[in-house]
Amino acid sequence: MATGSINVSVENIFPLIKKFLYSDHEIFLRELISNATDATLKLKHLTSIGDVKVEYGNPLIEIKVDKDKKQLHIIDQGIGMTAEEVEKYINQIAFSGAEEFLEKYKDSAKDSGIIGHFGLGFYSAFMVADKVEIITKSYKDEPAAHWICDGSPTYSIEEHDKTERGTEIILHIGEDDAEFLEDSRISELLVKYNKFMPVSIKFGTKTETLPKPEDAKEEDPAPTQEVDNIINNPNPAWTKQPADLKDEDYKGFYRELYPMQFEEPLFNIHLNVDYPFNLTGILYFPKLGQDMNIQKDRIQLYQNQVFVTDNVEGIVPEFLTMLRGVIDSPDIPLNVSRSYLQADGNVKKISSYITRKVADKLSSMFKNNREDFEQKWNDIKIVIEYGMLSEDKFFEKADKFALYPTIDGSFFTFEELQEKIKDSQTDKDGKLVLLYASNKDEQHSYISAAKDKGYEVLLLDSPIVSHLIQKMETSKENISFARVDGDHIDNLIKKDEETISKLSDEEKEALKADLEKVVPKETYTVQLEAMDSNASPFMITQPEFMRRMKEMQQTGGGGMFGMGNMPEMYNLIINTNHELIGQIAATKTDKKKERLIKQSLDLARLSQNLLKGEELTDFIKRSYDMIK
């Protein structure tokens, strides 16, 4: 038996490994299974090119728990190691890698947001084990080796009688980490990290029901057999070519990724690129509706089929983090801090590629089956609108397929809309005004007034619409968006013709003074307008700029305007040509005048859903009294 000392310059490196990223102790299993997978795939490669004359067969990686002995075994049938290779790879290379990594990160590891492979590899075993053994037999015709280390810098190595090719790692689990001797915990980790590893992983056995023999009676139980419990799918959909997959395969894989998700995805995008970086994956568009707060950590990041994280911020553009699916790339550096990751050139290219791929897929869906695209619009618009806001390159592409639905359920691209309304909705200053509503029911009377004029009214109801129209107004020339309840329709699209007021200037001044005695000035600004005599006598509107800023602040952004704490302010537009306004102006007694103004104001407030609580109760009671 030989003994030796690992050359360590960092003092007490084992305690450092043990406490390193305490909450991430569980990654030891992922690391050891990754090593076992590498050893198996190396053997596959060497046999495929004819370098070694051994049978590759159908190797497994097996995980065993021995609770009584407090041991966890990871067994592979891979390339194995000679005693000399153990000395080289375990005592020198692996350890110096672990040491260098810890030296670099021991002070900052907790704060740097390190993800993925920690560079610790094999030595992460000491996060959970007091003692580690390696029993390994190389594919070369040399005796097996048995390496033992008890978590100090000394180790022993001797020959072993193992005859089968491959490596067995035995972890003597420490008291603090007894959870890793529970079948349920190991099973959970295998499903989390190794569900799609490229080599089959066995964990125990399971009972399988066999078909009944033809001569069996109905009451006879079906025969059963014990079979290996393989926990992974070594050939997941994203590793295959799109041409080899049908729609049902993609849907089946979605169910595999999200077993608790009962709604089918709308469509998917298969990513497959090998230059200038390697990346494969499948992204799914789920039904999103209006929900901006949808759980974002649903895209899973893999490195060569090993799960790394479901926090893909910085790799996937933020607007696409609402999607689901898998991205697998060996080119994403995973042993560095997140800030480094976000500055990495490769990662930026990957992010741009994914953006372009999504835009191209949406564009081809729009061109190939517009009707289907329109039907899906309400479920995907939140991603597209968010992308148009946050990524200029995506905006350029999406401008051709982003849709603007109308109140009546028609859909237009911006170009089509512009063409349709340019003759009727261009104001006297040559600006094209796009009218929109955010709620069909609440803004019904304003929509009707606009449609009576022959105007087209869009239905823009997503939570980020105020941000989006701001972006449209700054990126396109001579257009503005106006919500239909932002002012009287004649003020929203000002034409050259003017309506003459039935009231003289003196009558208007007297009426305004009477109104301001009753109407609360801290909430309403009174405006007298000469409008069509059929238009409402009292109309409440909210200035477009102020309402938009408040909305933008509520969904993030716009905060610089400090609108959040401002009281709600409205315009009260009085139609001086309406018969009721003439009556109010002509009323002699102050009390009756006050009653007419109050009732009219409350009716206008009621139409805008602004009458609530005690005021609403008083209004209803007063209205009944007037009927009597």
Side-chain angles (χ1 to χ4, degrees):
M1 177 172 87
T3 59
S5 181
I6 297 164
N7 182 20
V8 182
S9 57
V10 176
E11 273 184 60
N12 300 327
I13 193 166
F14 282 97
L16 252 176
I17 290 173
K18 208 154 185 64
K19 71 168 191 171
F20 179 72
L21 283 186
Y22 182 75
S23 62
D24 284 294
H25 271 200
E26 63 178 46
I27 63 104
F28 82 92
L29 189 60
R30 178 188 73 180
E31 294 292 326
L32 295 177
I33 292 177
S34 291
N35 289 349
T37 304
D38 287 346
T40 310
L41 295 178
K42 272 179 189 151
L43 183 71
K44 184 180 187 179
H45 178 67
L46 292 175
T47 53
S48 72
I49 60 172
D51 257 25
V52 298
K53 303 290 181 253
V54 297
E55 193 63 40
Y56 177 66
N58 190 17
L60 287 171
I61 294 167
E62 185 173 4
I63 315 300
K64 285 182 181 171
V65 174
D66 187 333
K67 210 166 176 180
D68 296 335
K69 290 185 181 171
K70 298 185 178 168
Q71 291 176 359
L72 181 65
H73 301 245
I74 293 102
I75 305 157
D76 71 56
Q77 296 159 8
I79 200 166
M81 287 182 283
T82 62
E84 196 182 323
E85 285 167 339
V86 171
E87 179 65 47
K88 181 181 174 185
Y89 293 116
I90 299 297
N91 298 336
Q92 293 169 26
I93 294 175
F95 203 89
S96 61
E99 183 189 12
E100 184 188 333
F101 180 82
L102 282 172
E103 179 60 30
K104 188 173 176 184
Y105 287 113
K106 63 181 178 183
D107 297 324
S108 63
K110 286 274 193 293
D111 311 316
S112 60
I114 290 165
I115 60 171
H117 289 256
F118 296 102
L120 290 172
F122 166 72
Y123 277 90
S124 63
F126 287 97
M127 289 164 122
V128 298
D130 293 335
K131 181 165 84 169
V132 177
E133 299 179 56
I134 302 173
I135 301 167
T136 182
K137 170 89 172 75
S138 170
Y139 71 95
K140 298 169 186 167
D141 188 20
E142 288 195 36
H146 185 189
W147 179 92
I148 304 173
C149 181
D150 64 359
S152 70
T154 57
Y155 65 89
S156 69
I157 187 164
E158 59 187 347
E159 276 193 23
H160 192 275
D161 57 7
K162 177 177 169 70
T163 54
E164 290 174 354
R165 183 192 66 237
T167 300
E168 177 172 3
I169 292 174
I170 305 166
L171 307 186
H172 297 258
I173 301 292
E175 270 181 44
D176 292 349
D177 291 290
E179 64 182 283
F180 299 114
L181 292 168
E182 299 296 332
D183 283 3
S184 58
R185 181 76 170 111
I186 296 299
S187 190
E188 177 198 335
L189 292 181
L190 291 172
V191 169
K192 178 176 178 180
Y193 290 111
N194 307 107
K195 191 160 64 166
F196 300 113
M197 292 291 277
V199 177
S200 296
I201 298 167
K202 174 187 172 183
F203 184 50
T205 58
K206 62 182 179 184
T207 306
E208 203 172 67
T209 306
L210 297 169
K212 282 186 182 182
E214 283 180 23
D215 58 350
K217 293 176 183 164
E218 204 174 318
E219 62 271 20
D220 289 349
T224 59
Q225 66 174 12
E226 286 296 302
V227 293
D228 289 345
N229 179 31
I230 303 297
I231 59 95
N232 60 324
N233 169 4
N235 303 300
W238 84 81
T239 62
K240 300 172 183 173
Q241 289 300 313
D244 299 335
L245 295 165
K246 297 185 173 69
D247 194 40
E248 197 36 61
D249 297 319
Y250 286 113
K251 285 179 179 169
F253 181 57
Y254 184 77
R255 286 190 288 272
E256 209 176 325
L257 281 175
Y258 310 107
M260 300 311 289
Q261 187 59 239
F262 302 114
E263 219 170 14
E264 295 273 314
L266 292 163
F267 56 92
N268 63 270
I269 298 166
H270 199 128
L271 308 169
N272 196 346
V273 63
D274 52 19
Y275 181 81
F277 47 81
N278 280 294
L279 179 131
T280 52
I282 299 169
L283 293 179
Y284 292 92
F285 265 74
K287 282 189 174 182
L288 291 169
Q290 302 285 61
D291 190 3
M292 279 291 286
N293 302 314
I294 196 153
Q295 185 188 340
K296 284 189 177 174
D297 300 338
R298 288 297 186 85
I299 295 178
Q300 298 173 10
L301 180 67
Y302 287 76
Q303 190 189 60
N304 293 326
Q305 293 176 239
V306 183
F307 174 78
V308 176
T309 180
D310 52 13
N311 180 349
V312 292
E313 200 182 327
I315 298 160
V316 172
E318 190 176 349
F319 77 99
L320 295 176
T321 56
M322 289 186 270
L323 304 187
R324 296 189 184 140
V326 165
I327 288 168
D328 189 334
S329 174
D331 290 337
I332 294 175
L334 297 168
N335 56 344
V336 288
S337 68
R338 185 164 292 288
S339 56
Y340 179 89
L341 186 67
Q342 284 165 346
D344 183 82
N346 246 344
V347 172
K348 284 196 171 129
K349 282 180 199 153
I350 287 172
S351 182
S352 305
Y353 165 77
I354 293 170
T355 302
R356 191 176 77 246
K357 200 74 179 146
V358 169
D360 291 348
K361 170 77 176 187
L362 291 164
S363 178
S364 74
M365 283 171 64
F366 171 72
K367 286 175 188 159
N368 297 337
N369 190 343
R370 176 158 175 171
E371 194 180 331
D372 182 59
F373 189 77
E374 288 179 0
Q375 282 173 356
K376 289 186 168 92
W377 178 254
N378 279 331
D379 283 310
I380 61 174
K381 67 182 177 193
I382 201 98
V383 175
I384 295 170
E385 290 172 356
Y386 193 6
M388 289 172 78
L389 270 176
S390 54
E391 303 269 333
D392 285 340
K393 280 185 178 160
F394 185 78
F395 181 92
E396 285 167 32
K397 285 179 177 274
D399 198 30
K400 306 276 192 298
F401 59 73
L403 294 177
Y404 298 84
T406 69
I407 288 295
D408 306 316
S410 303
F411 289 87
F412 297 101
T413 62
F414 190 81
E415 207 174 289
E416 291 165 353
L417 185 65
Q418 221 171 353
E419 194 54 40
K420 182 167 173 55
I421 65 170
K422 66 180 182 189
D423 294 337
S424 58
Q425 288 178 225
T426 302
D427 68 10
K428 62 187 178 64
D429 301 319
K431 185 173 267 196
L432 185 68
V433 181
L434 295 101
L435 299 174
Y436 72 100
S438 58
N439 187 306
K440 271 207 277 197
D441 295 332
E442 284 179 14
Q443 292 148 15
H444 184 269
S445 61
Y446 300 92
I447 294 167
S448 296
K451 289 178 78 173
D452 287 346
K453 293 263 182 189
Y455 296 153
E456 201 68 68
V457 181
L458 303 174
L459 179 61
L460 304 180
D461 56 1
S462 84
I464 52 172
V465 75
S466 16
H467 295 270
L468 183 66
I469 60 183
Q470 199 82 354
K471 168 100 178 177
M472 297 294 289
E473 286 171 346
T474 51
S475 57
K476 301 207 176 275
E477 281 181 22
N478 240 5
I479 66 147
S480 73
F481 283 79
R483 204 166 88 176
V484 282
D485 59 347
D487 205 333
H488 180 259
I489 191 64
D490 292 345
N491 288 340
L492 291 176
I493 304 179
K494 284 197 161 118
K495 301 288 187 180
D496 281 330
E497 64 268 15
E498 249 184 70
T499 309
I500 310 299
S501 175
K502 289 180 181 175
L503 299 182
S504 66
D505 289 350
E506 293 79 21
E507 285 171 320
K508 282 198 276 190
E509 271 180 45
L511 175 64
K512 193 168 185 184
D514 289 334
L515 287 160
E516 285 175 344
K517 283 179 201 165
V518 182
V519 175
K521 57 177 171 290
E522 62 279 0
T523 310
Y524 298 98
T525 303
V526 175
Q527 287 175 217
L528 273 63
E529 302 268 355
M531 298 187 287
D532 192 296
S533 58
N534 293 323
S536 299
F538 275 52
M539 190 183 285
I540 293 171
T541 63
Q542 191 168 27
E544 176 78 16
F545 170 79
M546 190 179 289
R547 193 208 66 254
R548 206 187 282 186
M549 289 308 141
K550 282 179 90 76
E551 283 174 358
M552 283 168 73
Q553 195 181 43
Q554 281 159 10
T555 52
M560 68 192 108
F561 298 100
M563 293 283 167
N565 306 321
M566 284 184 67
E568 290 285 352
M569 286 294 294
Y570 299 93
N571 292 331
L572 177 64
I573 301 169
I574 309 297
N575 179 3
T576 58
N577 289 342
H578 195 280
E579 192 183 345
L580 175 65
I581 302 304
Q583 273 183 26
I584 292 172
T587 299
K588 297 287 181 266
T589 64
D590 288 350
K591 205 165 185 185
K592 187 180 176 189
K593 192 176 280 188
E594 185 184 330
R595 196 174 75 241
L596 285 170
I597 292 170
K598 193 164 177 34
Q599 187 72 1
S600 303
L601 175 63
D602 281 353
L603 278 165
R605 290 171 73 199
L606 188 67
S607 75
Q608 278 284 61
N609 212 15
L610 294 170
L611 202 57
K612 293 185 173 74
E614 191 180 343
E615 290 183 315
L616 179 58
T617 308
D618 289 348
F619 168 76
I620 292 167
K621 193 166 175 255
R622 192 167 73 238
S623 300
Y624 279 135
D625 289 343
M626 288 170 87
I627 294 168
K628 282 191 289 186

